[in-house]
Structure formats: C-alpha cells, structure tokens
Amino acid sequence: MSLWGHQSCFATKSGARETLPWPAVPGTSPACFRARLPDGERALESPSPPGQGHEDRVLPVLCPRGWLRLSCPDEAHAGSLAMTSEASSGSRCARNGMLRRRAREEDSAVLIDMAPGAEKGDSYGSTANTLEPGGHQAATCRVGSPAKPRIDFVLVWEEDLKPGQQQDHTTRDKTDAHGAWRETFLDKLRAAGLHVDQRDVQDEDNAVHYVLLSAPWALLCYYAEDLRLKLPLQELPNQASDWSASLLERLGLPNILLEDMPDVPPEYYSCQFKMSKLSRFLGSDNQDTFFSSTKRHQILFEILAKTPYGHEKKGLFGIDQLLSEGVFSAAFPLHDGPFTTPPEGPWAPGLNRRQVLFRHWASWCKWHKYQPLDHVCRYFGEKVALYFAWLGFYTGWLLPAAVVGTLVFLVGCSMVFSDTPTQELCGSTDSFEMCPLCLDCPFWLLSSACTLVQAGRLFDHGGTVFFSLFMALWAVLLLEYWKRKSATLAYRWGCSDYEDLEERPRPQFAASAPMTAVNPITGEDEPYFPERSRLRRVLASSVVVVMMVAVVVMFLVSIILYRAIMAILVSRSDKTLLAAWASRIASLTGSVVNLVFILILSKIYVALAHILTRWEMHRTQTKFEDAFTLKVFIFQFVNFYSSPIYIAFFKGRFVGYPGSYHTLFGVRHEECAAGGCLIELAQELLVIMVGKQIINNVQEILVPKLKGWWQKFRLRSKKRKAGASTAAGQVPWEADYELLPCEGLFDEYLEMVLQFGFITIFVAACPLAPLFALLNNWVEIRLDARKFVCAYRRPVAERAQDIGIWFHILAGITHLAVISNAFLLAFSSDFLPRAYYQWSRARDLRGFVNFTLARAPPAFAAAHNRTCRYRAFRDDNGHYSQTYWNLLAIRLAFVIVFEHVVFSIGRILDLLVPDIPESVEIKVKREYYLAKQALAENEALLGTNGAKDHQPLAQEM
C-alpha cells in the first residue's frame, strides 16, 4: 500500500456527489498526476464508473487525507482538492466564440485542476463559474480559504481594435491562429491546475490584456518534488562570507565595508523536497511562506515552458515560443512592490525586499560596501547572484593590481627625463637622418619623434617585467580563490550538485528529441539525442564559426591596408608636424574604424551563434548556454583581439630594408613608430577597452531610460484613452509591464571576460589597464544593480552551480596571458636589447640609440645621393647581423624561462590552495548525513506504521 489512503469524490454535472473507493497502488500516483511515458508526459484518462455513459461522465477527485489536510466535500474539512482530466471531463470552454480543434495527438496536457473558491467578480484564479458549451456549470471542488490567491506570474498581450481597419488574408489568418494558440494555451494552464484570471485595459483603438497566474499549494508540492528543488531542513548560524570581513574580525579592526542589513537570510542544511517528508522541512506548517517567491516562479515557469498549444513535434509548446511568435507580449513574475522609499523614510518598518535591495545595494552611495549577495539570491535567484558575486570578487581583486600598475606607470614617468637613450635621441638634432617611410615620402630626422619616444618610455622599462610577472600570478590566484568562493556560495545557496543531479532536460530538447533513454544518474527515462548525431552537428557548426572568423581576418587585413595608405597620405603633407605623426594618426584612426567594425560584426554573429546552438540539440540549459557562450567568445576573441595581436607580434616584423621592402597588395608593410610598437599597442588597448567601456556604460544608462520612457508613455496613453486615471496609482502588473524585459547576463559576462583578457594578455603594454578596469567596474556593479532593481521586470529565478564555461574561458585566458606577455617582453619591448647592450657594451647605455639603427645599403644610398638610418640589427648589405642572432637566442630563452617559472609557481599555488574550503566540505558531509538519516528514519516509520491506516507522515513524526 502507498503512503496515502485515497478516496474518490465523483461529482456529476447536476451537482450530486458520491464517494467511491479509489485503489491506492504502490509506487504510482492517481490518474490525474503525471505519468512518465517514453514519448513525453501525457494525461491519463480516468475511466467512467460503471453505469455511466459519456454524457454523464463524472469527474474523479482525489482527496488525500493527512499532510494536505484535505478531504472530500461531504467530510468535515473546509475544502477539497479537484484533480480532473480533460479527457474524462469532456468539458469544452467557449471563449470569444472561437472554435478550437483539439487533436488527440496534440493533447499532452497534465491535468491537476484545482480551483479555489472565489468571490464573484472580485478575485482571480477562479474557474468555478466557467460555463460549458451546453450552458451547464462545471463542477469543481475548493481548496483552502476563499482568500485571493497569490499572483505568481503575469502574461500580457496587446490587441489592436481600430474599427474599419483593413487586413489582408495573411494577416487575418495569422491573427486568428495567434488567438487560437493563446486560448488553447490558457485552457491547458487551467487544466494543469493553475488559477487563471484576465484583466483588461481597453479603449476604442487598443486593448492590453493581463493574465494573472497563481499556483495552489498541492501543485507547488508536486512540482517541487518533480523539479528536485532543495528546501531547508535545519537552520545554521550566519557567518562572515567574505575573507576580508573574517580577517578584520579576527584582528579586531573596524570594517568600513560592512553594513548592517535588515532581514538577513539565514543559512540552512537542505535536501531535495519530498512530499512524504513534508513535516521534516522548516516552515512546512505555513503554506503561504513555505515556498519562497523564487521557488514559486521556477515552478510556474516550468509549467509555462512545457505546456503545449499544438503539436509538440512541430515546436508548438512553451511560453518562449509564444513570445517569439508575438502571441504574448510579455511573461514575467511580479516584483515585491515599488522600489522607492516610503514616505516614512528609509528606516520605516516593513520595507519590501525590493526596497531593501534598492537602498542597500543599488544605491550609488554604497559603492564601497559589500554586496548583500544573500538578499540578491533570495530575490533574483542563484544565477543572477553568482554573476554579481563574480563581478564583486573580480573588482575587489583588481584593487591590488591597479595599485601596482599605477606605481609601475609612475616609475615610468620618473624615468622619462632621466633615461640616457631618450635624452640622446631628443638631443640628436640632425645626427640621425631616417630613411623614407614610403616610396615617395621624404627623409626625416629621428629627433622629431622625441615626444613619441618619451611617451613610449612610460610603458617600456624594467618595471614592466615585474608587473607582467605579478599579473600572471595574480590571475592564477584570482581563479583559485574564486573556485573556493564559488564552492562556498553554491553550498550556501543549495545548488552545489545542481548540474549533476537536479538539472532537467530543456523543454525544446525534450520536444525535439527522437527517442528516450534511461538517465544513468537518476534512473529516470528521459528524452535522448544520439551523441554521434550531435557531434556531426557540432562539427558543421564549427565550420560556420571558422568562416565567420575568416570574415574577421578579412576586415583586419582591410584595416592594415587602411593604416598603411593613411600613413602614406599623411606623411606627404607639407606640414612637418603632420608628417612626423603620420604613423600615429593612421594608427589612431584605424583603431576607431576597427572598433566600429567590431560592434557591427558582434551583433550579426550573436544571432547566428544562437541559431547554430539550438540546432546542435544540447540536453540541458547549462550545456546549451556553455555551447553558445563558447561560439560567441571565439568570435569575439578574434574580433576584439585580432588588431592588438597584430600590433604586438606582427607589425614591423616583415618590413624588409631600404631598397628591398616587402609589400602586401602593392602596399609596403607597416613599420612601428619611433617609440616602438609597445606604445602603439597601449594606444590600441585604451581605444578599444576604454572606448568600449564608455560606449557600453552610456548605452546602459541612456537606452533603458529612453526605452522605459517610451513604454510608459505608450501604455499610459492607452490607459488615458480608456478613461482610467493614471494618477490614482497602478496595479502591480501594469506597473511592472511598463518596465523593460530582462536581457539576461550573457552580455554582462562577455564584457567582463573581454576586459579580463585586455588586462592580462597585453598588460605588459599598458600597466594602467587594471586601473581603468577597476574604475569601470565600480560603476558597473551599481549600474547593473539599478537595472535589475529599477529598470527591468523581475527575471525568472534561474538556478546555477557556478559561472559555467566562463570559468574555463578565464582559465584559458590566464594561460594565454603568460605566453603573450613573455613574447611581448621578449620581442616588442626594448628591455632585452638594453640588457644585452649593458652586458656587452656600456652599462650607462650611452650610444644605445646608434646601436639599434642600421645603415641603408650602398645601392640605396647611391640612388638617393645620401645615406640614412633605419631600425634593425642588419649589416650594411641588409643581412641580419650577429647581434640579431644573439638577441634572438636571448629572447627565446627568456620566453621559455618566463613561461616555465610562472606556470610552475601557478601549479604550486593550485596545489596549496584547495578548491573547496574545509569548512564547506564538513558542512556538505553533515548535510548528506542528515538527509540520509531522515530518509532512513522515514522508511523505518513507514515499515512500522504501514498497517495503521496509512497515517500521514506529519503525525507519525
């Protein structure tokens, strides 16, 4: 026998009820619950009792006694739970006179119909007054009190009611199809057990329809178990979650970063929810608060994402598809209320959670305070909270990097006017006449480039080597300690094993998968797509990615040609200043053009990557997002970093020598300016990184404000036309619909990861990069917080175990940064040539400028009747000198030593720093022990009390 003792209440259409026995089969649920079948989840039809025909078919109603505290209407309890099957009820809803065809193969609704009692016309969620086509009132049972149910989700669509508007046949058919899909979808939601109510704002031209959805208690319990949600078992004392707070507390020092927060969420031991162990979970005696708002939103979205409105194999299911088709305009959970401070002031009692976040997190004056991550997680879910945790952690670690980088830059400033080679160059006057930069360009004096050389000295000195080593180790430690932080937060928020045990297949994958297979971890039959077929699709997608990367390379070549041509044109100018700065002007304008190309190509490729990732058929949302992220990052990496990589490692390497210059499409290869390629690389980084940051921040400030203003203006205009007063206040769903839809976290992560690449891969060229990143991130945290709290509709709370594939991308960037900085210091910096000159020639570096310049070959000098110099280690015939080969050996040795030293230290740090803190490991083991003990005691009690009329677990415990 099962845990429940069941009875069935049968209610005829005439209203008479009788109680019939319902068999309790071990290991099965009643017919109205979901049955897992290989071809998806289908409703089970309940047979008619003997003697009943189809016209008088009764409605089976499950009345489980015990933990739900429910009984049949003829018993002494206040209400009953109606669980009806659409197939058994035979009822049809006639709404707006629209006929809907319900094909049997399309009907995969899961019917747990629960209609609460409601006041006539005043509450929502009631289906008690729904009339059948024949005019009979559908019989329903009630659960709980007649109080209004809680709004868990809102669906919105807008309708054009302009009279006399002519529509062509295609538009009219599309409108009718959307209406049929919408009505079918809403009927399936009602049949699934949701309370559905519709509110309209209508004038003579337009109408805005709001559908308010609410989930009853029994439905929440069922889906909480089905989704394997983790709920609290035992409360733990709150502990300092930040290492700096713990350190200052142990030292007894005041912590200016800490702020007292109201309503701090406690920490719990938790385990997956089981209806049979309801009484063991904290707060199970209060149905209103047992499931948090984020849990309720997750359950509602799961239902919305899987509910069909047509044939599932044709993709006609789920709210996402309806939104993309324009059937609904929006779907969102409600905010907890307004974010503005009440008239009583910021310390007024009873602030809602949104107001708490606005005051203590989204406020600009809190830029120096810890983020209330537990509050963010409770309100927005683990995925959003993990993003802000990563952003805050990364920003905190940028502080020491910015301080050291600024000190290195100041050292460079102090060396500008005391550096011997720089003084020699600036005082050389006409001692060094340089060869022309193009075929028709004039000869020029090296002393005219004094300013550029001094600027290059700001970034190219001995301190840069130390800073590159520091940043390489900084990046390694950052990721190691983030792993510890991530593991701590994942356990604290109950999602440490989410990806392995709890994550379900994507609804789109489940509908499109050609077969099912047993999950080896959970043992459940799940939709399956063959790995061989997926591999073929991934390879095909990779070919498309390579083609798009080739397009980026083509644009890069065009930028190179633009720079070369621009440098030639400017150098021919009659103005000496412009001619001297020709290379720098060409480089600067080329950087701006490159940034424009980057932003345009990014928009195109993101859309293409989304299409390819959907086609690859990834099982879970995490794998889908990881595959999409990897595609976009590969493209964006080439898009953003191709130009800096060219300047750092290729520009000026294959120029040739006077009389034998190399060309590309007839255009001579670019040379590095007099100050070297390092200063040009620093300029490129500042233009792309800082320019992109400024553009993004301006967009994040202005675009939401403009979009929000237009949305409010449009909706309030409709409301005024409808005769409603906008000054009298708005209902919550109207106020939230005026906000902008949440656009997700992908762009936010991508911005930060690209920034991380700029400050690590090319940090040898620009020690100030971490400082600019720190200043940007201080703004970014509060700007993103304000968007989520004030500007965006509340997003559906999504679960996540970590930051996903972004961590592996960051680890790859860290390894690439070590190699990149080694080659930058070896081949783009003057550090090794200066050291070689000090070791072999003169320790005071006198004569170093002459040492780095070669003389033009005699043939070139004879053709121009004058000799000139150029930067290279060549002899008078243009061949590489012995100094070149000596320096090449030293440079390669430096790369090998630098790379091995950094990687070895990084590996040692990896071994010394455990990925999971010991305290968290103890808590995980303790939680596992408690969950296992609870399950064992539950089984023992079931064996002992199995013959005692199946008493509810709450009483047995």
Side-chain angles (χ1 to χ4, degrees), residues 24-145:
V25 182
T28 62
S29 297
C32 52
F33 277 97
R34 291 181 184 261
R36 301 186 182 279
L37 299 177
D39 60 343
E41 295 180 349
R42 303 290 181 184
L44 293 180
E45 294 186 1
S46 300
S48 299
Q52 296 284 350
H54 176 73
E55 294 298 322
D56 292 325
R57 181 171 295 176
V58 295
L59 308 177
V61 181
L62 174 68
C63 297
R65 298 193 311 267
W67 64 272
L68 281 179
R69 297 284 189 246
L70 298 173
S71 63
C72 297
D74 56 343
E75 297 183 25
H77 290 82
S80 63
L81 174 62
M83 298 184 180
T84 65
S85 170
E86 183 180 27
S88 63
S89 68
S91 64
R92 298 291 186 269
C93 297
R95 299 176 67 83
N96 300 329
M98 185 177 298
L99 297 178
R100 297 179 301 278
R101 183 177 302 168
R102 300 190 178 187
R104 197 171 192 80
E105 66 272 14
E106 294 181 3
D107 184 12
S108 61
V110 181
L111 308 180
I112 307 177
D113 193 4
M114 303 179 61
E119 298 297 333
K120 185 181 301 184
D122 186 48
S123 67
Y124 60 87
S126 172
T127 58
N129 297 325
T130 301
L131 296 181
E132 297 180 358
H136 299 288
Q137 183 171 329
T140 58
C141 295
R142 297 182 178 182
V143 58
S145 66

Side-chain angles (χ1 to χ4, degrees), residues 630-679:
L630 184 60
K631 287 183 185 64
V632 176
F633 180 77
I634 290 173
F635 174 81
Q636 298 284 31
F637 181 88
V638 178
N639 202 8
F640 278 92
Y641 296 148
S642 56
S643 183
I645 288 175
Y646 163 74
I647 294 173
F649 304 115
F650 298 100
K651 186 176 181 180
R653 310 292 175 197
F654 313 103
V655 176
Y657 56 91
S660 182
Y661 286 113
H662 300 156
T663 61
L664 177 66
F665 301 119
V667 179
R668 179 176 153 185
H669 285 185
E670 285 186 288
E671 290 188 61
C672 291
C677 283
L678 213 60
I679 178 61

Side-chain angles (χ1 to χ4, degrees), residues 438-649:
C438 61
L439 183 62
D440 299 326
C441 296
F443 292 84
W444 58 286
L445 296 177
L446 183 61
S447 58
S448 64
C450 175
T451 304
L452 292 178
V453 173
Q454 289 176 337
R457 194 59 185 155
L458 295 174
F459 303 101
D460 188 3
H461 54 85
T464 306
V465 180
F466 162 76
F467 188 58
S468 298
L469 179 64
F470 171 83
M471 287 300 295
L473 299 179
W474 172 88
V476 172
L477 281 175
L478 167 70
L479 296 185
E480 287 301 317
Y481 277 94
W482 167 249
K483 284 193 288 188
R484 292 170 59 85
K485 178 75 170 180
S486 178
T488 302
L489 294 177
Y491 169 76
R492 183 179 181 88
W493 297 335
C495 53
S496 54
D497 53 1
Y498 168 68
E499 294 179 11
D500 297 329
L501 300 178
E502 302 174 41
E503 190 168 17
R504 305 290 300 276
R506 297 169 55 239
Q508 295 82 355
F509 173 83
S512 305
M515 63 185 71
T516 61
V518 176
N519 187 320
I521 298 177
T522 63
E524 296 180 359
D525 200 36
E526 292 184 353
Y528 177 75
F529 190 79
E531 289 297 329
R532 186 182 298 272
S533 300
R534 179 182 292 113
L535 179 60
R536 287 197 294 265
R537 295 191 177 192
V538 171
L539 290 176
S541 299
S542 301
V543 173
V544 179
V545 173
V546 172
M547 291 174 60
M548 291 301 300
V549 169
V551 172
V552 177
V553 174
M554 291 172 57
F555 276 103
L556 174 62
V557 173
S558 66
I559 294 294
I560 294 172
L561 293 175
Y562 166 83
R563 285 173 173 162
I565 295 173
M566 180 62 69
I568 294 173
L569 295 177
V570 176
S571 62
R572 293 176 178 176
S573 174
D574 296 334
K575 297 182 178 180
T576 306
L577 182 61
L578 284 179
W581 283 69
S583 178
R584 184 67 60 237
I585 294 173
S587 176
L588 181 60
T589 56
S591 299
V592 175
V593 174
N594 185 47
L595 179 61
V596 174
F597 277 141
I598 285 173
L599 297 177
I600 294 175
L601 289 175
S602 298
K603 299 294 184 182
I604 298 173
Y605 184 75
V606 168
L608 178 61
H610 206 278
I611 294 173
L612 292 175
T613 309
R614 285 203 307 267
W615 181 63
E616 289 173 358
M617 289 290 291
H618 294 280
R619 174 181 170 271
T620 63
Q621 186 66 23
T622 298
K623 292 182 178 179
F624 176 88
E625 292 177 357
D626 287 351
F628 174 73
T629 298
L630 184 60
K631 287 183 185 64
V632 176
F633 180 77
I634 290 173
F635 174 81
Q636 298 284 31
F637 181 88
V638 178
N639 202 8
F640 278 92
Y641 296 148
S642 56
S643 183
I645 288 175
Y646 163 74
I647 294 173
F649 304 115

Side-chain angles (χ1 to χ4, degrees), residues 229-251:
L229 297 182
K230 298 184 75 172
L231 294 173
L233 286 172
Q234 179 180 331
E235 187 173 338
L236 293 172
N238 280 314
Q239 300 176 357
S241 58
D242 195 279
W243 66 270
S244 59
S246 303
L247 177 62
L248 293 174
E249 184 178 357
R250 285 196 298 267
L251 296 177

